[in-house]
């Protein structure tokens, strides 16, 4: 893959026109499986390999793992806010600046554990949803969009797949 293709190795997220029960089950399963898939993908990498960027100017694989943990921690908070408040406005964050913080140089084990714990809670929560809860929303102040939890589920399932592909494609082509 070229550097340009590596930006979106599974393509950009495109929300479906409508959401089926099969979509929801599939995406919940993707959320459930991601921590193990990510651990399996990076388990044999050494520090030098973890510090390989997935594309020129892109994050290192280490930063990708830490980012996914941070992103998915934010996501479960967004889901819980939407469940407990009427269309809350979420707090965006500067992902690129987070990736420059000292904790992004730590070994990846801590973020893999965070991801595992967050996903256990998140999947349990998702599997309990009623149709009404799937229709709950939050607002993103950067885009101005009101986002249903169905759409957010699809987005975060894509997000995990997207970053897992950054890792697996880098291992396949650069390591």
């Amino acid at each position: 893959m070229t550097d340009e293709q590596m930006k979106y190795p599974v393509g950009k997220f495109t929300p479906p026109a409508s959401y089926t029960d099969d979509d929801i089950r599939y995406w919940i399963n993707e959320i459930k499986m991601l921590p193990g898939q990510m651990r399996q993908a990076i388990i044999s990498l050494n520090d030098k390999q973890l510090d390989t960027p997935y594309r020129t100017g892109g994050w290192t694989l280490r930063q990708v793992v830490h980012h996914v943990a941070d992103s998915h921690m934010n996501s479960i908070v967004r889901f819980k806010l939407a469940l407990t408040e009427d269309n809350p406005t979420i707090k965006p964050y500067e992902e690129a600046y987070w990736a420059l913080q000292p904790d992004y140089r730590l070994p990846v084990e801590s973020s893999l554990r965070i991801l595992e714990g967050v996903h256990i809670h998140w999947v349990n929560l998702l599997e309990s949803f009623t149709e009404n809860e799937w229709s709950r929303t939050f607002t993103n102040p950067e885009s101005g969009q009101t986002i249903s939890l169905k759409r957010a589920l699809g987005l975060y399932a894509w997000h995990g797949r997207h970053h897992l592909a950054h890792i697996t494609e880098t291992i396949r082509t650069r390591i």
Side-chain angles (χ1 to χ4, degrees):
M1 284 190 174
T2 66
D3 275 354
E4 189 60 31
Q5 292 168 320
M6 279 299 285
K7 281 185 182 180
Y8 295 97
V10 297
K12 292 185 178 184
F13 175 68
T14 305
S18 62
Y19 298 85
T20 67
D21 290 342
D22 286 341
D23 290 333
I24 290 169
R25 278 191 298 275
Y26 183 79
W27 292 330
I28 291 172
N29 191 59
E30 283 193 298
I31 297 289
K32 185 177 194 173
M33 301 302 291
L34 180 67
Q37 292 169 329
M38 190 160 286
R39 179 178 291 282
Q40 189 63 37
I42 60 97
I43 192 105
S44 65
L45 301 182
N46 61 38
D47 282 337
K48 182 179 178 192
Q49 292 168 323
L50 285 167
D51 292 329
T52 302
Y54 70 86
R55 64 178 174 84
T56 305
W59 288 340
T60 65
L61 300 186
R62 181 185 314 274
Q63 288 172 305
V64 169
V65 173
H66 291 310
H67 161 72
V68 173
D70 279 346
S71 174
H72 290 200
M73 279 192 296
N74 273 283
S75 179
I76 194 170
V77 169
R78 291 170 178 180
F79 271 70
K80 286 188 173 192
L81 288 169
L83 290 170
T84 60
E85 299 176 20
D86 186 27
N87 192 40
T89 299
I90 60 159
K91 172 89 173 83
Y93 64 101
E94 296 294 336
E95 297 171 349
Y97 294 141
W98 283 41
L100 298 175
Q101 299 307 306
D103 64 321
Y104 273 52
R105 292 189 295 273
L106 285 169
V108 295
E109 182 61 29
S110 59
S111 284
L112 290 171
R113 288 181 182 177
I114 288 169
L115 201 60
E116 289 164 353
V118 164
H119 280 233
I120 287 168
H121 282 258
W122 199 7
V123 168
N124 180 269
L125 187 66
L126 296 170
E127 288 177 339
S128 75
F129 277 16
T130 64
E131 184 56 39
N132 181 54
E133 288 165 324
W134 283 118
S135 298
R136 304 235 1 133
T137 60
F138 59 78
T139 297
N140 183 323
E142 290 180 328
S143 67
Q145 287 185 305
T146 297
I147 300 166
S148 72
L149 292 184
K150 284 180 189 177
R151 184 177 193 275
L153 173 64
L155 175 64
Y156 280 99
W158 168 87
H159 183 259
R161 202 168 51 251
H162 165 74
H163 285 304
L164 182 61
H166 284 147
I167 294 168
T168 58
E169 285 300 311
T170 300
I171 292 168
R172 189 177 69 77
T173 61
R174 293 185 171 209
I175 294 179

